[in-house]
Amino acid sequence: MEPQVAELKQKIEDILCPFGFEVYPFQVAWYNALLPQAFHLPLPGPTLAFLVLSTPAMFDQALKPFLQNCHLRPPTDPVDQCVAYHLNRIRESLPELQIEVIADYEVHSNRRPKILAQTAAHVAGAAYYYQRQDVEADPWGSQRISGVCIHPQFGGWFAIRGVVLLPGIEVPNLPSTKPPDCVPTRAERIALLESFNFHWRDWTYRDAVTPQERYSEEQKAYFSTPPAQRLALLGLTQPSGESSPVSPKRPILTFTPKKSQNPSRAQGWLSPQVSPPASPGP
């Protein structure tokens, strides 16, 4: 890795990693090469970018302290606000750099995603984006099959949170890193994609590889709850007036978990409406 990239990566990791995030560098060109023009990032190809993902530890290390110490702004999801807070700390800590942050859920005015998070994770070498094209002679006929990213250490127990772009910093010699192909056989890929597409409520697709850590029952209960009901689940209520802070009525995150289901938030997991071409790696 180039010294400049290694130095910047270390600085961003110092900001984010204590809070349960991981950081992976990539070139904008690697991302754009896999996508139609409409989805390209409008920057020179050698521009440096970093993918940011959250591990299971983020819930305890970032979200819980954030809920205790910060005012929430309904109706935005508390996790989105927490992630935005930590990504903004990168700008604050590195004021000498031009930095653009794109969260995984951001869209243009026409509702087109600003970033296809799973493609970014794949080209950054963070997680392999398994798609229908990765199954030889697939068995699904005319059924639509969405792809899913699998992390080599956490399986599906993680979330892609966004990218950090550094316009003006170009790294043409940055070596590409292929994502680990941790679901290598046809049978395993069929099982993964069928579990994700047809049985996502039982969470089993996340165990496509044996994970080092899973979401806690508390965390699964949170993500199983529709976003509009999450403040109540956390014991938080919204006073009259949308600009008012949200006040706790009872200790945060001490609820009894509900039956495990798939997170209702889909942006970090589901394939975009226009699925990018599959890639065996940069």
Side-chain angles (χ1 to χ4, degrees):
M1 186 181 299
E2 298 180 21
Q4 181 185 27
V5 178
E7 180 182 359
L8 288 170
K9 181 174 184 286
Q10 186 62 59
K11 288 180 177 180
I12 295 174
E13 286 180 336
D14 289 344
I15 297 166
L16 295 181
C17 288
F19 298 93
F21 297 95
E22 291 184 346
V23 178
Y24 298 83
F26 67 98
Q27 278 187 34
V28 165
W30 306 344
Y31 173 86
N32 286 351
L34 298 184
L35 298 171
Q37 180 71 37
F39 291 95
H40 284 189
L41 294 170
L43 291 168
T47 300
L48 177 62
F50 289 94
L51 177 100
V52 178
L53 62 81
S54 63
T55 72
M58 185 275 290
F59 201 71
D60 286 323
Q61 295 175 2
L63 180 63
K64 286 184 178 181
F66 179 82
L67 291 173
Q68 294 285 2
N69 298 314
C70 297
H71 290 322
L72 298 177
R73 301 184 304 278
T76 306
D77 184 81
V79 172
D80 290 348
Q81 293 184 51
C82 173
V83 170
Y85 166 78
H86 284 283
L87 293 180
N88 190 58
R89 291 177 58 238
I90 300 173
R91 290 195 189 95
E92 295 173 348
S93 299
L94 301 172
E96 70 279 9
L97 298 178
Q98 181 183 353
I99 294 174
E100 180 182 351
V101 175
I102 306 177
D104 69 298
Y105 54 83
E106 290 188 65
V107 296
H108 295 284
S109 58
N110 62 0
R111 309 303 297 172
R112 186 176 67 243
K114 290 187 176 181
I115 190 77
L116 297 185
Q118 299 198 104
T119 299
H122 187 96
V123 301
Y128 201 107
Y129 184 21
Y130 292 97
Q131 301 180 84
R132 182 173 187 163
Q133 298 96 314
D134 296 308
V135 177
E136 186 176 350
D138 75 70
W140 298 300
S142 61
Q143 289 180 291
R144 176 176 175 178
I145 300 295
S146 296
V148 61
C149 275
I150 295 297
H151 188 287
Q153 280 79 50
F154 299 112
W157 302 96
F158 77 106
I160 305 162
R161 297 301 180 183
V163 298
V164 177
L165 303 172
L166 287 86
I169 297 181
E170 298 188 359
V171 287
N173 297 319
L174 180 67
S176 63
T177 302
K178 293 184 178 182
D181 184 0
C182 44
V183 186
T185 70
R186 177 178 182 272
E188 290 172 326
R189 293 177 180 184
I190 289 173
L192 167 64
L193 292 173
E194 289 189 347
S195 179
F196 177 67
N197 281 271
F198 308 135
H199 309 290
W200 49 267
R201 288 182 176 86
D202 65 14
W203 301 79
T204 56
Y205 77 87
R206 298 180 187 269
D207 288 329
V209 301
T210 302
Q212 292 182 357
E213 186 179 0
R214 296 179 174 89
Y215 291 173
S216 65
E217 290 301 313
E218 194 174 51
Q219 188 169 178
K220 287 193 285 185
Y222 176 85
F223 286 120
S224 296
T225 302
Q229 301 174 23
R230 288 176 182 173
L231 290 180
L233 183 71
L234 298 176
L236 302 170
T237 56
Q238 179 186 354
S240 58
E242 292 186 1
S243 62
S244 300
V246 178
S247 304
K249 294 184 67 177
R250 57 184 171 87
I252 294 173
L253 297 176
T254 58
F255 47 84
T256 301
K258 297 180 179 180
K259 181 180 179 181
S260 298
Q261 295 181 14
N262 189 64
S264 58
R265 171 197 171 93
Q267 290 91 334
W269 302 105
L270 298 181
S271 297
Q273 292 298 313
V274 178
S275 184
S279 170

